[in-house]
Structures are given as structure tokens and as C-alpha cells.
Amino acid sequence: MTAAYHSKPKSALVLAGGGARAAYQVGVLKAVRELLVLPERNPFQILCGTSAGAINAATLAVYADNFDVAVGNLLEVWENIHVRHVYRSDPLGIARTGARWLAALMLFARTSPTALLDNAPLGELLSRTLDFGRIQEHIDTGALYAVAITCSGYSSGQSVSFYQGGPGVEAWERTQRLGCAMPLRVEHLLASSALPFIFPAVKLNREYFGDGSMRQIAPISPALHLGADRVLVIGTGRQTADANRVRSGIYPSLAQIAGHALNSIFLDTLYADIERLQRINRTISLIAPERVRDTGFPLRPIKVLVISPSQPLERIAVRFLQELPRSVRFLLRGIGAMNRNGSNLASYLLFEEGFCRALVDLGYRDTLERRGEVLEFFEGAI
């Protein structure tokens, strides 16, 4: 790669986690592809993904030589997805899992079950459809600068961003988070998307890792460490919650509590980090450029654009709960996830084409409504 390529502004795409909610990100990318003058050219030199967003980011990295094809592949998968492609939903598989949990609770089993659901089908799908060897090829040709997948270590408690990039990319280490150079493979995606309690952790090197959104106190940080000057962040939840408090005298169900916990993991730190970045940008804008250079710190303004759902995704999920296989509905009904109060949890597991197509359409419409902001974001970058 040339020195000019290293020095020119780099655009990064940050894809947050959210299980089935990540279908919304594909709708946003569909609209971005439509707005680009050259849709084949990859507009994101840096790709960062967490949880289900890591799967989308890895797909873009594998097909970095043609953004049009990359988005087309994502649409093909998400618009035709079913639960059976992600986790075992057959009655026998669900029954075996339930029996293990019951035996553990009754103290009959010597070992504890690893997770509520078996996501082996997802591993098979990713291994079959993604050629990870292509990532380094695209880095070598300059179609891609770097890609990072973030996981959370259960033993160390650290947020680890496994990244693959060119020779100019350096590792980093901060409080509770670090960047580790390593060729990416399917295990990194399974680890990053291992929803706590729901999907099993994955062993990478000497440690078990789970969903990357856990303890990820700075979701945008990997993109900045990799050299991004502008960042497009696609969330999977509303940036502003409803102001009206809902009163209820009914004790929250297990599903309602779990959905609240998952929202905290996936949404709270992301939007807090966005606020922190915007605050730093405002501070830098008040300091004369020569004073910034005199500090000796690598401070630079970062252009950031955030696109997040205009509607609560859990309310959309309610309309599609009956699309879930009967065995999964039975399992979720037992913990209160088949009603409106528990739909938050269900929205993370609703890998069915009706729900995912609705999210793709919403992401597409939300992005086109902000056409001017999107075009301004890419101005001078590609």
C-alpha cells in the first residue's frame, strides 16, 4: 500500500449488536449503496462489528472488493432467514436443552448447561458462506484497510477487539479494552455474537469469550484506534427513549427483565460513547489548531453520523411472534416473552423473514429520509 493511502481520510463503519435486530443495519446499507455514485466501490476503509453486527461487518470485509455485491449478499441472507439457520429450534433440540436446565436446577446433573440455545447452525452457515482468506487479499490490494471484531473475555473481563489490518495498524491497550492482531475466522464471529445465557461462549486462545457488547465501554474506540477520521454508526435501538413513564403494578416477567438487561448491554454504552465523542469534538473546535498541535496529544475532530431506528423494534416484533417455530414459542411463553412486555427479549431471537424484512425496510426508509446527511458524510471521502 502507498503512503498516500495511509494518510488520506478513512471512513469507518461501526455496527452494533442486537441479535435479529441487526437486520436493520442491512436496510441502512441498502440505502447507502443506492446513494453512492459508484456503488461497487467500498466506501468504508475500516469495518468494526460487535455481536450480530460483527457478522455483517465480516461479510462486508469478505466482499470488500465490491460493495454492491456485499450488500446484495447480506440482503439475500437476512430477507430469507429463519430461526433454524441460527439456532436449533426442532422439538428434540429444545427438549434436550430444557432437560439439561431442569436437571441442573434439581441438582441431578454434575455439570451445568452452557446455554439456553444451540447456535451450531449459525456456525455451519458462516463457515459455508464466508471465505475469511479473502479479507487479507482485500487488505493487500487496498480495497480494505482494517476490520475489527469485538468480544468479551469471561475470565479477564476485558473487551478485546480482534483485528486484521495492514502493516501500519498498531495494537492498543486501554483500561479494560485492548486490540489484538489476529487473522479473523468463524470462531471470532460466534464468540462476538454469543448472547449471554442464550448462546454458548467460544474459546479463543486460552480464554472463553462471549458477546462483545458486554463491558464494551467505548464501542467506537476500535474504529478510532484503527485510524478512522469519520465514523458511521448504525445502532439497533432508538437513540432517545419514550419520555412518558409507563406505570405497572404487575411484577416484571423473566423475559421483561432479560430484555431490559440486553437493552442495557447493547444500547446504553453505544449512545454514551457517541455523546462523549461529540463532546470532545466540541472541545477541539474551541481550541486553536496550533494549540492542539502544541499539546502533543493526537487530538483530531471526528466526523460522526448515527443512524438508528425511528420506531421501537420491540413493538414491531410483537406483530411477528407467531412466525417463530412452535417449540420456540413454547419455550419463550414459559418466561413471558410472547406478550408485549416481554417482546424486547423476543426481538433479539426473532430470526424470521417477516420480522427481518420489516427491519430492513425500516432501515432503508430511515436512511433515505436523511439523504442529505448521508451524502454530506461521504463528501470528499470517496
Side-chain angles (χ1 to χ4, degrees):
M1 280 180 280
T2 64
Y5 181 79
H6 285 284
S7 60
K8 74 176 184 179
K10 297 179 182 64
S11 300
L13 177 65
V14 174
L15 299 176
R21 291 168 170 239
Y24 176 84
Q25 299 170 346
V26 182
V28 174
L29 294 171
K30 177 184 176 182
V32 168
R33 179 183 65 175
E34 187 173 300
L35 294 174
L36 293 175
V37 177
L38 298 172
E40 300 85 6
R41 183 177 177 184
N42 176 29
F44 303 106
Q45 294 78 38
I46 297 169
L47 298 166
C48 299
T50 303
S51 192
I55 296 174
N56 289 339
T59 302
L60 294 174
V62 168
Y63 295 97
D65 57 331
N66 193 317
F67 185 69
D68 187 13
V69 171
V71 175
N73 285 335
L74 285 172
L75 286 168
E76 176 67 23
V77 172
W78 282 100
E79 290 186 337
N80 298 283
I81 199 167
H82 294 284
V83 160
R84 65 178 182 274
H85 299 141
V86 181
Y87 55 88
R88 286 196 64 179
S89 58
D90 58 288
L92 180 59
I94 295 292
R96 283 178 176 174
T97 301
R100 292 192 193 101
W101 279 97
L102 181 61
L105 291 173
M106 298 294 291
L107 303 180
F108 292 150
R110 294 184 178 181
T111 59
S112 300
T114 56
L116 181 64
L117 297 171
D118 179 4
N119 63 344
L122 176 61
E124 296 170 3
L125 175 65
L126 295 174
S127 298
R128 188 171 62 251
T129 57
L130 295 180
D131 180 2
F132 290 88
R134 297 185 63 185
I135 295 178
Q136 189 59 49
E137 294 177 10
H138 299 324
I139 292 173
D140 293 339
T141 61
L144 180 68
Y145 184 67
V147 56
I149 303 301
T150 299
C151 308
S152 181
Y154 279 113
S155 298
S156 65
Q158 290 183 317
S159 176
V160 182
S161 295
F162 297 99
Y163 71 87
Q164 193 169 344
V169 181
E170 297 181 357
W172 64 90
E173 184 170 0
R174 299 291 186 273
T175 304
Q176 290 188 334
R177 52 191 171 91
L178 57 88
C180 178
M182 179 181 295
L184 299 178
R185 56 186 192 273
V186 67
E187 288 80 6
H188 293 97
L189 302 187
L190 292 175
S192 183
S193 59
L195 292 167
F197 304 110
I198 299 175
F199 296 139
V202 177
K203 192 173 185 179
L204 300 172
N205 297 337
R206 297 180 299 276
E207 185 176 7
Y208 279 96
F209 287 86
D211 198 289
S213 296
M214 297 185 294
R215 309 198 73 172
Q216 189 182 27
I217 59 177
I220 305 176
S221 171
L224 304 184
H225 282 293
L226 293 172
D229 299 284
R230 62 186 76 198
V231 181
L232 172 60
V233 182
I234 308 179
T236 57
R238 300 185 72 187
Q239 193 167 359
T240 55
D242 294 333
N244 297 326
R245 296 179 60 187
V246 178
R247 297 180 180 275
S248 175
I250 302 176
Y251 192 83
S253 65
L254 180 60
Q256 189 173 354
I257 295 172
H260 181 74
L262 289 176
N263 280 353
S264 299
I265 292 173
F266 288 116
L267 306 181
D268 293 353
T269 55
L270 174 63
Y271 295 122
D273 200 27
I274 291 169
E275 287 185 3
R276 181 163 53 245
L277 177 58
Q278 292 170 336
R279 186 166 59 249
I280 293 173
N281 278 341
R282 288 194 295 269
T283 301
I284 294 175
S285 68
L286 298 175
I287 305 174
E290 59 273 13
R291 294 290 299 276
V292 174
R293 290 193 296 269
D294 291 342
T295 63
F297 293 103
L299 296 175
R300 66 187 191 281
I302 304 296
K303 179 185 287 188
V304 59
L305 175 62
V306 183
I307 298 179
S308 56
S310 59
Q311 301 175 29
L313 301 190
E314 62 274 14
R315 294 183 186 176
I316 298 176
V318 173
R319 308 202 312 259
F320 299 96
L321 291 177
Q322 294 306 314
E323 289 190 2
L324 286 166
R326 183 178 299 178
S327 55
V328 178
R329 295 202 307 269
F330 176 79
L331 179 66
L332 294 180
R333 186 176 292 111
I335 58 175
M338 290 299 292
N339 55 48
R340 183 169 180 174
N341 287 337
S343 60
N344 245 322
L345 174 61
S347 70
Y348 290 97
L349 300 174
L350 222 172
F351 293 94
E352 290 293 334
E353 64 176 32
F355 178 59
C356 292
R357 284 175 182 253
L359 298 195
V360 169
D361 290 342
L362 179 62
Y364 179 75
R365 295 196 309 271
D366 285 350
T367 306
L368 290 184
E369 288 178 1
R370 300 176 62 183
R371 176 191 184 101
E373 294 176 73
V374 175
L375 293 176
E376 194 275 333
F377 174 84
F378 286 112
E379 186 177 359
I382 53 178

